[in-house]
Amino acid sequence: MSKKALRIRVKQPTAHYRDHKVSQNEYIDTLELPPKTTIMGMLTYLCDRRLKSPIDIAVIGFYKSKEIEFSRGERISFWDDYRKFKKKVENRLSDGEYYDYYKSELAENSILNYEVLKDVQLTIYISTESNEEFQIIKNSLESPSKYMNIGRKEDFIIPIVKGVFVEEVYLEEKYISETKEAIKEQLKIMNSYIKVDLKDSSNDILSKGALYALPSTYKDLEADKVDRKFIFSHYIYVDKEGIYPKNITVNIYDDGKKKEVFTWL
């Protein structure tokens, strides 16, 4: 079975992908790859509209090194507490006066040590049920009119192939029932996330990598950004050693030289 998709190949000098399940102040780690909602956020911003049709996203990537950087700033709860403070005192001050008072009298600075990935390369696949939105995404990536980043604001992306952010490709969808079938056809998943069901005790993929609970979508796509709540799913991160999967449907991109094998997030 063949499926049309967009293939994006980009690199980042630095990247920090926030783990939404981790809330701490002194040390903030990074995910190995960006989750689906982070990539969706970039696409929505770039297309300047909410994308309403079901969209499949996958990501494959690696980095050269992981380093620890240092900064001084507000604690994670700073802006939530600040908004609550504004509501409490109503509208007796201007925005600037609110901020100056809250910052000087009530807020505490935080010393942050956080992980940063260096020399990142990502391959992102996108497929959507709407041909119209597929074309909108493709056009926006072919001639981007906005600053593009994945992760923090400073984590900009640039195309691996100069001037080419995106290409239209066709994927083969295949169900693999046995490991020996995957080995025979050289279908190995590497440097990627695999969505898993923790209730499926027969799934040996659960023992093949690090388990993460990552945001997969929003409860309300129409909600304002500050009010959005995530729906989380479970994923196994498979590193460069890779696995030969079984009892799973995979997608295959084959350019005649190499195969990229992955599952949708």
Side-chain angles (χ1 to χ4, degrees):
M1 179 179 177
S2 181
K3 185 173 185 176
K4 182 173 67 172
L6 297 174
R7 181 172 182 255
I8 304 167
R9 297 181 65 231
V10 294
K11 54 186 177 180
Q12 297 179 277
T14 64
H16 174 89
Y17 308 127
R18 180 186 170 193
D19 186 344
H20 290 80
K21 283 290 188 180
V22 175
S23 179
Q24 58 186 13
N25 288 304
E26 290 76 23
Y27 186 87
I28 304 176
D29 60 354
T30 178
L31 296 169
E32 305 290 331
L33 295 169
K36 180 178 180 179
T37 50
T38 298
I39 298 170
M40 273 297 302
M42 181 196 72
L43 295 177
T44 301
Y45 172 72
L46 187 62
C47 296
D48 200 23
R49 59 179 287 174
R50 286 192 171 109
L51 301 168
K52 298 181 179 180
S53 68
I55 295 179
D56 288 326
I57 290 177
V59 59
I60 302 169
F62 59 91
Y63 54 88
K64 184 176 180 180
S65 63
K66 183 186 293 185
E67 300 179 7
I68 299 175
E69 296 188 356
F70 163 88
S71 71
R72 181 179 178 183
E74 292 84 11
R75 293 184 177 275
I76 290 175
S77 62
F78 175 85
W79 289 111
D80 285 340
D81 292 344
Y82 173 61
R83 282 192 287 268
K84 291 175 185 176
F85 169 72
K86 282 192 66 175
K87 290 180 180 179
K88 183 178 179 180
V89 298
E90 298 178 347
N91 296 316
R92 296 196 295 270
L93 301 171
S94 69
D95 285 344
E97 289 172 325
Y98 275 128
Y99 182 85
D100 290 342
Y101 176 77
Y102 183 79
K103 182 71 174 177
S104 61
E105 301 295 330
L106 303 177
E108 297 180 20
N109 281 332
S110 177
I111 304 301
L112 301 178
N113 294 284
Y114 53 96
E115 294 180 337
V116 176
L117 307 178
K118 302 288 186 176
D119 295 330
V120 180
Q121 291 195 24
L122 301 175
T123 301
I124 299 168
Y125 287 93
I126 301 167
S127 182
T128 175
E129 292 183 5
S130 167
N131 288 327
E132 178 187 0
E133 290 195 343
F134 183 93
Q135 197 60 46
I136 288 171
I137 295 171
K138 182 181 178 183
N139 292 344
S140 297
L141 287 165
E142 285 178 334
S143 301
S145 59
K146 294 183 177 181
Y147 173 84
M148 296 172 64
N149 66 294
I150 299 177
R152 305 168 300 175
K153 200 69 177 178
E154 61 265 40
D155 297 330
F156 62 89
I157 64 175
I158 53 178
I160 290 177
V161 178
K162 187 176 181 180
V164 181
F165 270 109
V166 64
E167 58 181 328
E168 187 174 315
V169 300
Y170 284 87
L171 308 173
E172 179 187 358
E173 187 177 88
K174 186 178 181 63
Y175 180 78
I176 302 175
S177 58
E178 298 290 342
T179 302
K180 63 181 180 181
E181 179 185 359
I183 295 173
K184 181 180 178 180
E185 298 189 29
Q186 298 182 336
L187 302 179
K188 193 176 191 180
I189 299 178
M190 299 184 293
N191 301 311
S192 190
Y193 292 127
I194 303 175
K195 194 172 184 178
V196 294
D197 181 359
L198 297 185
K199 297 178 181 178
D200 184 4
S201 58
S202 65
N203 191 345
D204 65 350
I205 291 176
L206 291 172
S207 64
K208 302 296 185 180
L211 176 66
Y212 290 97
L214 303 177
S216 56
T217 187
Y218 301 101
K219 287 185 178 180
D220 183 3
L221 292 174
E222 299 297 324
D224 291 334
K225 186 174 181 180
V226 295
D227 297 320
R228 287 181 186 171
K229 294 182 179 180
F230 294 113
I231 295 176
F232 286 84
S233 299
H234 287 99
Y235 299 87
I236 292 294
Y237 169 70
V238 180
D239 62 16
K240 63 182 179 181
E241 297 299 321
I243 65 165
Y244 289 105
K246 69 175 182 178
N247 299 325
I248 192 173
T249 297
V250 300
N251 300 283
I252 307 159
Y253 171 70
D254 187 351
D255 64 0
K257 297 179 181 179
K258 67 174 183 178
K259 295 179 181 178
E260 290 178 338
V261 185
F262 59 90
T263 59
W264 297 118
L265 300 179

